[in-house]
């Protein structure tokens, strides 16, 4: 099998490409390198360019007529940035994806796995959600992902497109072989901030302490990126069963562990793994922050035969291992 991975020079896309390679699936990577790293494409056929570039897509499919499906990971993803510059996010994540889908259909490539987000959910009182939970995105980033899902569902109902939207919860960790990981030296997410505080000796900011959770801090479902990659591989292999031709042409699956972890609990987990104690301070929530959620769904197990295998501690350890080699690998 051969697949196209957009955003394949980024954190998640490159990890999916590695998992595919380990399992006999060849990846062709398309990335504009706005946030991705060229080093992450080593060992794969790489095209540098934009997902909305029709001529480039035509060339890719002419060069690789064996491509059977596309994994669409290309997107801007920083929530506070989406609040301050929403037009950039709507253009990159929505407008360009619409053009991209048009190019896929024009080239007769109807199978699409979409990298979506659980940030679009409006959680209930227990913060647990499934695929039927209310869609109430709390940031421009999340709204762009929800908008793309609506577009995909509409297009799938009217054309040959078949789309599988995989709603990620909160990826952590790295490729266990350390081929790739988070490319930014100072990630803005929770675990990145914990590592930064550990490395610099600065106080760790607990952003938001008045959420209606068990300890007042935000709650998340942290999933190891290698488990996410394995879910995509399962989705590629079972695509025609999961998204049959005789249905709506559209399917949604949550990808999470089923366990909610608060910010304070993640802090404790980090200190247990590292054996150190971090200084902390409490602040208000960041722009675009929400209380959070975790999945209660078993749809991924039923439809993909997939369950996560890595623990929270595994994700922390692999993130730390990657942080040690990131500068050496990326300069």
């Amino acid at each position: 099998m051969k697949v196209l991975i957009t955003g394949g020079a980024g954190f998640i896309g490159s990890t999916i490409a590695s998992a595919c390679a380990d399992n006999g699936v060849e990846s062709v990577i398309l990335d504009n390198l706005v946030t991705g790293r060229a080093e992450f494409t080593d060992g794969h056929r790489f095209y540098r360019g934009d997902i909305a570039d029709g001529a480039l897509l035509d060339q890719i499919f002419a060069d690789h007529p064996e491509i059977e499906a596309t994994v669409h990971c290309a997107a801007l993803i920083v929530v506070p940035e989406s609040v301050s510059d929403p037009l950039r996010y709507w253009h990159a994540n929505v407008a360009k994806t619409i053009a991209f889908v048009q190019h896929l259909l024009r080239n007769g490539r109807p199978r699409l796995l979409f990298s979506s987000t659980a940030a679009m959910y409006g959680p209930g009182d227990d913060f647990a959600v499934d695929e039927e939970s209310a869609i109430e995105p709390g940031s421009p980033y999340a709204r762009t992902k929800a908008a793309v899902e609506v577009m995909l569902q509409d297009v799938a109902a009217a054309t040959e497109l078949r789309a599988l939207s995989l709603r990620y919860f909160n990826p952590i960790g790295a490729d266990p072989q350390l081929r790739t990981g988070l490319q930014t030296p100072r990630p803005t997410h929770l675990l990145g901030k914990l590592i930064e505080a550990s490395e610099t000796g600065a106080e760790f900011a607990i952003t938001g302490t008045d959420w209606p959770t068990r300890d007042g801090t935000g709650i998340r479902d942290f999933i190891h990126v290698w488990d996410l990659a394995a879910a995509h591989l399962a989705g590629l292999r079972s695509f025609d069963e999961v998204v049959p031709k005789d249905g709506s042409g559209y399917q949604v699956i949550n990808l999470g562990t089923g366990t909610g972890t608060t910010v304070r609990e993640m802090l404790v987990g980090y200190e247990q793994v590292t054996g150190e104690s971090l200084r902390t301070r409490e602040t208000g929530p960041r722009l675009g922050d929400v209380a959070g959620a975790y999945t209660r769904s078993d749809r991924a197990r039923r439809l993909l035969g997939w369950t996560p295998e890595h623990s929270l501690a595994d994700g922390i350890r692999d993130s730390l291992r990657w942080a040690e080699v990131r500068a050496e690998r990326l300069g």
Side-chain angles (χ1 to χ4, degrees), residues 2-326:
K2 183 182 285 191
V3 300
L4 172 65
I5 303 178
T6 69
F11 173 40
I12 294 174
S14 65
T15 309
I16 294 169
S18 292
C20 285
D22 291 350
N23 289 274
V25 176
E26 185 177 352
S27 298
V28 176
I29 290 174
L30 170 61
D31 199 297
N32 61 13
L33 299 186
V34 169
T35 59
R37 299 287 304 209
E39 298 91 332
F40 288 179
T41 69
D42 290 349
H44 308 286
R45 183 66 186 273
F46 171 51
Y47 292 81
R48 181 173 182 174
D50 197 279
I51 61 171
D53 185 338
L56 178 58
L57 268 296
D58 292 348
Q59 184 63 56
I60 290 172
F61 291 123
D63 291 345
H64 305 276
E66 322 93 289
I67 290 175
E68 297 181 34
T70 298
V71 180
H72 181 32
C73 297
L76 299 176
I77 64 170
V78 180
V79 169
E81 183 181 77
S82 78
V83 176
S84 61
D85 194 359
L87 274 176
R88 181 175 180 232
Y89 273 66
W90 278 89
H91 179 66
N93 293 358
V94 180
K96 289 189 176 184
T97 296
I98 291 171
F100 178 62
V101 170
Q102 291 174 322
H103 298 319
L104 291 181
L105 290 174
R106 185 168 49 76
N107 279 278
R109 313 291 167 153
R111 295 185 182 91
L112 177 66
L113 280 76
F114 175 54
S115 172
S116 193
T117 179
M120 67 178 65
Y121 284 123
D125 293 338
D126 63 354
F127 301 100
V129 297
D130 58 32
E131 290 86 354
E132 306 305 321
S133 294
I135 301 301
E136 299 173 1
S139 69
Y141 159 71
R143 281 189 281 276
T144 65
K145 290 288 188 174
V148 170
E149 284 205 10
V150 172
M151 180 272 292
L152 292 177
Q153 189 169 9
D154 286 346
V155 175
T159 71
E160 294 182 351
L161 180 73
R162 287 186 287 153
L164 172 58
S165 287
L166 300 175
R167 292 176 181 166
Y168 307 167
F169 281 75
N170 298 81
I172 59 173
D175 171 2
Q177 296 185 43
L178 299 184
R179 288 167 287 192
T180 61
L182 273 168
Q183 63 270 42
T184 54
R186 290 287 179 258
T188 59
H189 63 60
L190 173 57
L191 185 49
K193 289 298 184 182
L194 285 167
I195 294 173
E196 180 180 356
S198 177
E199 291 176 343
T200 65
E203 290 180 326
F204 169 69
I206 300 174
T207 54
T209 58
D210 294 323
W211 299 110
T213 61
R214 52 182 171 262
D215 62 17
T217 62
I219 192 166
R220 303 289 186 269
D221 188 336
F222 295 100
I223 180 169
H224 199 293
V225 68
W226 197 244
D227 284 329
L228 275 184
H232 285 75
L233 189 63
L236 287 167
R237 287 177 165 167
S238 59
F239 188 92
D240 289 342
E241 290 74 40
V242 175
V243 192
K245 292 182 179 180
D246 58 356
S248 67
Y250 184 71
Q251 181 63 268
V252 172
I253 298 178
N254 284 352
L255 296 182
T257 66
T259 299
T261 301
T262 69
V263 173
R264 294 191 195 277
E265 290 165 350
M266 172 62 99
L267 171 62
V268 170
Y270 184 87
E271 292 178 333
Q272 289 175 341
V273 168
T274 62
E276 61 179 299
S277 180
L278 299 182
R279 297 185 299 119
T280 66
R281 60 185 173 88
E282 297 182 358
T283 71
R286 302 172 305 168
L287 286 173
D289 274 352
V290 295
Y294 61 95
T295 188
R296 59 169 172 254
S297 171
D298 69 345
R299 187 178 291 182
R301 178 188 59 78
R302 290 187 288 106
L303 297 185
L304 302 180
W306 172 88
T307 55
E309 297 181 356
H310 293 80
S311 67
L312 181 68
D314 291 335
I316 295 171
R317 279 190 289 266
D318 284 340
S319 293
L320 288 166
R321 291 172 59 226
W322 172 252
E324 291 178 355
V325 304
R326 195 209 69 82

